[in-house]
Amino acid sequence: MLFERRGILHAAALAGALAGLPECAAKPSDTKPEGARASEREMRVLTRVSALTIPLTDTPGAAETDAADFVVLGLAHGLAGSGESVKNASSPLTGLLLLTRFIADLDEAAGGDFLKAGPERQLQGLTMIDNRAFGEDGKGSPWRKIKALILTGYYTSAAGASQELQYELVPGSWDGDVA
């Protein structure tokens, strides 16, 4: 069956299919296609950036839902437009090369190794990149595509779709006896 693996219905697979994503994108740990590889450092950076983007609260954050794995898989498959070249780069960047460029931007914003910077400096650097990326001249920023993949990976995960997003069939309450 399209949405069933090992007898368990994955909400992420269903949400991914409904959103037009390939089934393998819904559960990245099950399938690692050729080219969907990131270094250990890249994965640690993506996990930290995911945690800064959607932090752990009373519901799991993006780091706890393995959004970083989804980002790598999404970049390898060109999701969120990551197959298109980035215009403001010195050379056209696509797919996983966006990740390399983004990490270089993070290191620059942190004033050195992003992972060795303190949490406050990491957040400041990411905020600076975010402001630039979503400003007037930021259309070609790798962060726009990576952030979209973090959000997609999180909200199509079981925790993101069932604990964070809550569908209320009828907002508020219905009062049939109105004067």
Side-chain angles (χ1 to χ4, degrees), residues 17-39:
L18 294 175
L21 301 174
E23 182 186 4
C24 62
K27 186 74 172 151
S29 59
D30 287 352
T31 308
K32 293 278 188 194
E34 193 63 35
R37 293 188 177 91
S39 71

Side-chain angles (χ1 to χ4, degrees), residues 9-142:
L9 180 64
H10 290 279
L14 177 60
L18 294 175
L21 301 174
E23 182 186 4
C24 62
K27 186 74 172 151
S29 59
D30 287 352
T31 308
K32 293 278 188 194
E34 193 63 35
R37 293 188 177 91
S39 71
E40 184 180 325
R41 179 174 190 269
E42 288 171 333
M43 290 305 297
R44 286 196 329 264
V45 169
L46 274 177
T47 299
R48 181 64 187 136
V49 167
S50 296
L52 290 171
T53 305
I54 303 175
L56 173 69
T57 58
D58 57 336
T59 59
E64 290 74 30
T65 62
D66 296 326
D69 287 337
F70 183 88
V71 171
V72 171
L73 189 63
L75 290 172
H77 285 286
L79 296 178
S82 62
E84 301 166 9
S85 65
V86 175
K87 294 175 181 67
N88 69 349
S90 57
S91 62
L93 300 174
T94 60
L96 290 172
L97 293 175
L98 286 170
L99 181 57
T100 304
R101 171 63 188 263
F102 173 62
I103 290 174
D105 291 346
L106 282 173
D107 287 341
E108 182 181 321
D113 187 343
F114 177 78
L115 291 173
K116 291 181 181 175
E120 190 173 301
R121 185 67 191 132
Q122 289 176 341
L123 183 59
Q124 288 173 349
L126 186 60
T127 301
M128 183 179 71
I129 290 171
D130 190 75
N131 289 338
R132 222 181 308 141
F134 291 95
E136 289 181 22
D137 299 328
K139 277 199 171 200
S141 171

